[in-house]
Amino acid sequence: MRQRLARIVWTASVLLLAASPPASAGVRADDVFPVEDIRHQVENIRFTVESLDATESETRDDRTVTVTLTSDVLFAVDKWEVTGAARTRLERIAQNIRTDAPEGVIEIAGHTDDQGSDSYNRRLSERRAEAVRGVLIKLLAGQSVPFKAIGHGEAKPRVPNMVDNRPSAKNRALNRRVEIVYEAGR
């Protein structure tokens, strides 16, 4: 993957260099310029693909994969039982996990917004992480993949719950989430 991304960056650079500058720059189309061989090792490329409704995203950073699902698509309000619609999304995620052949532990982390007490939110996030873990264990039966479920409650918001000293319903919805994190083996 790193080689493919480096090739894309190289191709884009060549295309940018090959573009003709505007005539106002004092450069003619038939001018010749020296070309330097530029080589730079790509250390780490991170990219995120997000659904149009912002309910799901996948971030890849070198080999680390983080799949984020908002709790609103996984659970009913204040519940920790995975909905039927969420099972379909988790089936697709399980297929991606099989393809990536993860190495090490798959961590499932539950998060909440800032409404409710810290202890309530931590317990709710733990139950939700455990529920997703249970579904993935069944979907990945036969795979020797260890899982770890953890609840962070409201301790690690994705975005601020308050904007301009006012509660933000949109941001709170983004903070109610479950993250599935693993190292891709391929």
Side-chain angles (χ1 to χ4, degrees), residues 146-175:
F147 290 90
K148 174 184 175 185
I150 187 168
H152 293 290
E154 62 187 77
K156 295 184 175 185
R158 187 175 182 186
V159 292
N161 286 296
M162 305 284 281
V163 176
D164 295 330
N165 292 324
R166 300 167 110 177
S168 170
K170 179 182 173 185
N171 285 8
R172 283 181 168 163
L174 291 173
N175 288 332

Side-chain angles (χ1 to χ4, degrees), residues 124-144:
L124 177 62
S125 65
E126 288 170 357
R127 288 176 172 163
R128 287 178 167 185
E130 283 293 338
V132 171
R133 177 182 171 269
V135 171
L136 286 177
I137 285 174
K138 290 177 184 173
L139 292 172
L140 293 167
Q143 306 281 312
S144 58

Side-chain angles (χ1 to χ4, degrees), residues 2-15:
R2 185 180 287 183
Q3 291 173 338
R4 185 173 68 206
L5 290 171
R7 205 174 355 207
I8 291 169
V9 169
W10 179 84
T11 303
S13 299
V14 168
L15 291 173

Side-chain angles (χ1 to χ4, degrees), residues 13-108:
S13 299
V14 168
L15 291 173
L16 285 173
L17 290 172
S20 297
S24 62
V27 178
R28 296 187 326 247
D30 59 343
D31 284 346
V32 178
F33 297 95
V35 177
E36 293 182 29
D37 187 17
I38 300 173
R39 292 182 183 257
H40 183 70
Q41 182 175 350
V42 176
E43 293 296 324
N44 197 4
I45 295 177
R46 178 182 183 150
F47 65 94
T48 300
V49 177
E50 189 168 324
S51 65
L52 292 175
D53 61 359
T55 59
E56 183 176 344
S57 67
E58 180 177 300
T59 301
R60 290 185 178 259
D61 183 355
D62 196 23
R63 289 182 46 220
T64 303
V65 179
T66 303
V67 178
T68 303
L69 295 165
T70 62
S71 292
D72 298 347
V73 300
L74 292 171
F75 311 101
V77 175
D78 284 334
K79 303 293 182 196
W80 53 88
E81 294 169 0
V82 176
T83 66
R87 288 182 190 279
T88 304
R89 288 185 186 226
L90 291 172
E91 286 172 5
R92 186 176 34 75
I93 291 167
Q95 181 58 43
N96 291 344
I97 291 172
R98 269 190 219 93
T99 301
D100 285 339
E103 296 176 351
V105 176
I106 296 176
E107 183 177 295
I108 301 163

